[in-house]
Amino acid sequence: MIKVLLLFLLLIAGIVLGPMLAGHQGYVLIQTDNYNVETSVTGLVIILVLSLVVLFALEWLLRRIFRTGARTHGWFMGRKRTRARKQTGQALLKLAEGDYQQVEKLMSKNADHAEQPVVNYLLAAEAAQQRGDEMRANQHLERAAELADNDQIPVEITRVRLQLARNENHAARRGVDKLLEVTPRHPEVLRLAEQAYIRTGAWSALLDIIPSMEKAQLGDEQHRDALRQQAWIGIMEQLMAEQGSEGLNLWWKNQSRKTRQQTDLQVAMADHLIECNDHQSAQQIILDGLKHQYDDRLVMLMPKLKSDNPQQLEKALRQRLKADEHNPLLWSTLGQLLMKHGEWQEATVAFRAALKLRPDAYDYAWLADALDRQNQPEEAATMRRDGLLLTLKNENPS
């Protein structure tokens, strides 16, 4: 608008001043080394005006050309975005079908023009991994990392997921450790951490994330309890392998009272101590556990013990029998302990009481051995026959 006004003013000036200068045009000389240009003042003004008109016209033409180019570029870009949106929708359908080759192809094609290019490249990486093409998966992952800028959490989660799929467990563990520093309650990070810690035997780290899993409502209480038990047993096995019974006992003493009163842990701890040939410590854990809460699994460990003080075990069993005399496991366990000490008559009574409550092939065999020791071969043979018949019946219920 300003340029048009300028031209209009120059035109008016020419109309007004032209007649005034008609008889006084003056003289203009432009001299160079090789040329001399002579013209009147009026001619020079006309040349300047025409030059401005040409420049303005040229500028208008160039602007139209560039605007047309920008509109054309925008049209092509819009077309690519539309195509990318359509291909992303098709890829999601192929994902539901399990066609990972098409998923990767459609997700990565025109991904730069998609609404969420990072998501496209991450899904393309996972699809390539599903096909077993680790090189393509890495390429898509790195492109996603370039486009993600400061929001690298989705990229790193996908990286860890791919590492677990490739069984690169220690690399995955380092990855989840870093992610947990940034986002300690992210559900998917916690799920991946659970897998990585179990695979690498990082039992203490697994115990540390269980409270976060509970706050994130990840899994049910039964699943989290199972993870705790798995972690405790894993720690026990590591200590047993590295430090033996001394390491186990020291670790057990350092646990809270609430932890030491968990029956599952008492059973596992006593079993590991027996394996380490520390029967005295194992016996103490079994007796302490039975005082706090009765559990068949603790009773079943008693016959494995090589006890220096078997009277404590027998006393605990007899006290329990006073409250629960119809428990065949208690009678059978008592009989096994009595046999170890050569108390054949009392062992016979215990096994007969157990068999009266329920038939058991092992109890028949132990009772037969006790009867043999008491010079009663005929009844011992009868017990062995009954035990064999029971075994055959159990193997062939029809």
Side-chain angles (χ1 to χ4, degrees):
M1 190 68 185
I2 296 176
K3 295 173 182 178
V4 174
L5 180 61
L6 179 60
L7 286 174
F8 184 69
L9 292 175
L10 288 174
L11 181 60
I12 292 175
I15 294 173
V16 174
L17 296 177
M20 296 175 59
L21 298 175
H24 309 281
Q25 295 186 20
Y27 176 75
V28 176
L29 173 63
I30 300 175
Q31 187 174 26
T32 64
D33 291 340
N34 300 319
Y35 299 99
N36 292 331
V37 178
E38 298 180 5
T39 184
S40 64
V41 175
T42 303
L44 181 61
V45 171
I46 293 172
I47 291 172
L48 291 175
V49 172
L50 291 175
S51 298
L52 286 173
V53 171
V54 171
L55 287 175
F56 290 154
L58 183 60
E59 180 189 13
W60 175 85
L61 179 62
L62 291 175
R63 190 185 303 116
R64 288 297 301 270
I65 292 174
F66 285 126
R67 282 181 179 174
T68 302
R71 284 195 295 269
T72 303
H73 178 72
W75 180 81
F76 279 113
M77 290 297 293
R79 190 165 179 267
K80 288 182 179 180
R81 283 194 292 269
T82 302
R83 186 182 301 171
R85 190 182 305 112
K86 182 179 179 181
Q87 289 170 342
T88 300
Q90 293 173 344
L92 294 175
L93 291 176
K94 293 297 181 181
L95 180 63
E97 297 174 6
D99 189 350
Y100 296 109
Q101 183 173 2
Q102 286 298 315
V103 172
E104 182 199 353
K105 179 180 178 181
L106 293 169
M107 279 292 181
S108 58
K109 194 173 183 180
N110 292 317
D112 288 338
H113 306 288
E115 294 179 0
Q116 296 289 338
V118 175
V119 176
N120 280 54
Y121 279 115
L122 291 180
L123 289 175
E126 296 211 36
Q129 181 61 44
Q130 288 288 344
R131 296 193 301 104
D133 193 342
E134 296 184 5
M135 181 177 296
R136 292 281 295 173
N138 290 335
Q139 290 174 352
H140 296 316
L141 191 63
E142 294 309 316
R143 180 56 181 160
E146 293 175 5
L147 296 173
D149 295 329
N150 296 327
D151 188 14
Q152 292 290 325
I153 291 178
V155 178
E156 295 307 314
I157 288 176
T158 304
R159 192 187 305 278
V160 171
R161 193 182 294 117
L162 297 184
Q163 289 168 341
L164 288 172
R166 301 169 187 169
N167 291 319
E168 299 174 0
N169 300 320
H170 291 282
R173 178 183 170 182
R174 290 193 296 271
V176 295
D177 285 342
K178 293 179 181 178
L179 282 168
L180 286 171
E181 293 177 1
V182 179
T183 175
R185 296 185 185 177
H186 193 294
E188 183 61 18
V189 174
L190 291 170
R191 271 191 288 265
L192 296 173
E194 175 188 335
Q195 297 180 48
Y197 291 155
I198 290 175
R199 292 188 186 185
T200 58
W203 306 116
S204 296
L206 180 60
L207 285 174
D208 290 340
I209 67 170
I210 290 177
S212 297
M213 294 175 67
E214 185 174 2
K215 293 177 181 177
Q217 297 182 349
L218 186 62
D220 54 20
E221 188 62 31
Q222 184 178 359
H223 175 70
R224 292 190 291 270
D225 286 341
L227 284 180
R228 287 190 187 94
Q229 301 305 321
Q230 185 177 6
W232 289 125
I233 294 174
I235 290 173
M236 291 178 191
E237 290 178 350
Q238 288 178 345
L239 289 170
M240 183 178 69
E242 297 171 3
Q243 303 176 32
S245 62
E246 293 182 1
L248 280 171
N249 282 313
L250 180 60
W251 173 81
W252 186 252
K253 291 177 182 177
N254 290 331
Q255 301 308 305
S256 66
R257 182 179 179 182
K258 181 179 179 181
T259 299
R260 292 199 305 270
Q261 288 180 347
Q262 295 184 37
T263 305
D264 291 336
L265 298 186
Q266 291 170 346
V267 173
M269 185 66 183
D271 196 25
H272 282 80
L273 287 170
I274 291 172
E275 190 174 349
C276 290
N277 204 32
D278 188 351
H279 296 273
Q280 183 176 354
S281 299
Q283 177 172 317
Q284 191 60 49
I285 290 175
I286 291 172
L287 293 174
D288 290 343
L290 289 173
K291 288 178 183 178
H292 181 260
Q293 182 178 358
Y294 175 81
D295 192 281
D296 285 347
R297 293 171 296 172
L298 291 171
V299 175
M300 293 171 66
L301 288 174
M302 287 184 176
K304 297 181 179 181
L305 292 171
K306 299 176 182 178
S307 176
D308 296 332
N309 189 5
Q311 291 77 15
Q312 284 187 331
L313 297 173
E314 295 172 14
K315 181 180 178 181
L317 289 173
R318 294 185 188 278
Q319 287 178 344
R320 188 67 194 176
L321 280 167
K322 291 179 181 179
D324 188 11
E325 62 179 2
H326 298 293
N327 188 326
L329 177 62
L330 293 175
W331 285 113
S332 176
T333 304
L334 179 61
Q336 294 174 59
L337 296 180
L338 292 169
M339 282 185 66
K340 285 186 176 183
H341 314 128
E343 299 178 23
W344 309 112
Q345 179 60 39
E346 293 188 31
T348 300
V349 174
F351 286 127
R352 288 186 190 277
L355 289 169
K356 185 178 179 181
L357 294 168
R358 57 99 176 90
D360 182 83
Y362 288 106
D363 286 344
Y364 277 120
W366 287 319
L367 177 56
D369 291 340
L371 291 169
D372 277 335
R373 292 286 185 169
Q374 299 174 72
N375 297 317
Q376 300 179 40
E378 293 181 0
E379 190 177 1
T382 301
M383 293 300 104
R384 288 193 175 92
R385 182 195 64 192
D386 292 344
L388 178 59
L389 290 174
L390 180 61
T391 302
L392 294 174
K393 181 180 179 181
N394 291 335
E395 291 178 354
N396 300 286
S398 59

